[in-house]
Amino acid sequence: ALANLLLIVVLSLYMVADRNRLLASVFRLVPPQYKEEAGLLERSVARSFGGFLRGQAILGLVYAATAVIASAAFGLDYLAGTAAAAGLLMAIPFFGPFLAWAPPVLAALVTKPEATAGTLVVMAAGWLIVMNVLQPRLMAQALRIHPIVVLGSVLVGSKIAGVSGAIFGIPIAAVISAFVFHAIERG
């Protein structure tokens, strides 16, 4: 899973760096009667993946703020480091959120054991709010799809393609949605 994730990141960076040449090459291969659909695909993919990445960044920032609140409330050491680690982990799709609660809790366990339970409660409450309230709404707004479709696309993507499917299930659902709505408007 880690090797697949690394490969995806490297390929994505190459695609971003050479985007214009790649698009020009692909559009030369598209027959003239499908130029409109190819343009729709390009716009949908750009909007979906861009919205997905922006959404992940916002989720990371919100959870980092939760870690700051927990660390400040219980007077924990390493506030900046644990908040940054929690935010970065939350921004990593699929498996990151399951580890994001740990940095402040581990800091509490090591430096102030009496604050561990309280820190865990604050981080768990923040996690539940971010993952069950904020994430579906944020992704739905960024990608213009319903929150249930967001959650369903993660589940279906993970069943079809494992970790990669769970990561890219949301943007792929947004692209499919754009094509369905385009077909309805044309039909």
Side-chain angles (χ1 to χ4, degrees):
L2 191 56
N4 282 343
L5 186 62
L6 182 62
L7 181 63
I8 290 168
V9 169
V10 169
L11 287 175
S12 298
L13 291 174
Y14 278 117
M15 287 179 188
V16 168
D18 208 15
R19 178 180 186 263
N20 292 334
R21 272 189 17 202
L22 284 171
L23 283 175
S25 297
V26 169
F27 279 126
R28 278 195 300 269
L29 298 173
V30 175
Q33 67 266 29
Y34 296 113
K35 292 286 186 192
E36 182 183 346
E37 285 80 5
L40 174 65
L41 176 64
E42 189 271 325
R43 289 188 304 276
S44 299
V45 168
R47 186 186 74 230
S48 299
F49 281 86
F52 179 72
L53 292 176
R54 281 188 299 278
Q56 288 300 117
I58 291 169
L59 291 174
L61 289 172
V62 169
Y63 203 65
T66 302
V68 166
I69 291 168
S71 295
F74 296 104
L76 301 178
D77 295 335
Y78 313 111
L79 183 144
T82 58
L88 286 173
L89 285 169
M90 182 58 77
I92 297 171
F94 191 63
F95 63 86
F98 296 107
L99 302 173
W101 58 270
V105 173
L106 291 174
L109 188 63
V110 171
T111 62
K112 284 193 172 181
E114 67 277 3
T116 303
T119 305
L120 182 60
V121 167
V122 171
M123 294 306 293
W127 189 89
L128 287 171
I129 291 169
V130 166
M131 294 304 293
N132 295 311
V133 177
L134 183 61
Q135 185 204 26
R137 288 179 177 18
L138 188 63
M139 289 300 165
Q141 183 181 11
L143 301 173
R144 299 180 190 143
I145 55 178
H146 195 277
I148 291 175
V149 175
V150 170
L151 294 173
S153 62
V154 171
L155 294 173
V156 170
S158 66
K159 289 291 183 191
I160 292 173
V163 174
S164 300
I167 292 171
F168 292 110
I170 296 171
I172 289 170
V175 170
I176 292 169
S177 173
F179 270 93
V180 168
F181 286 123
H182 177 72
I184 290 170
E185 288 174 6
R186 286 184 75 192

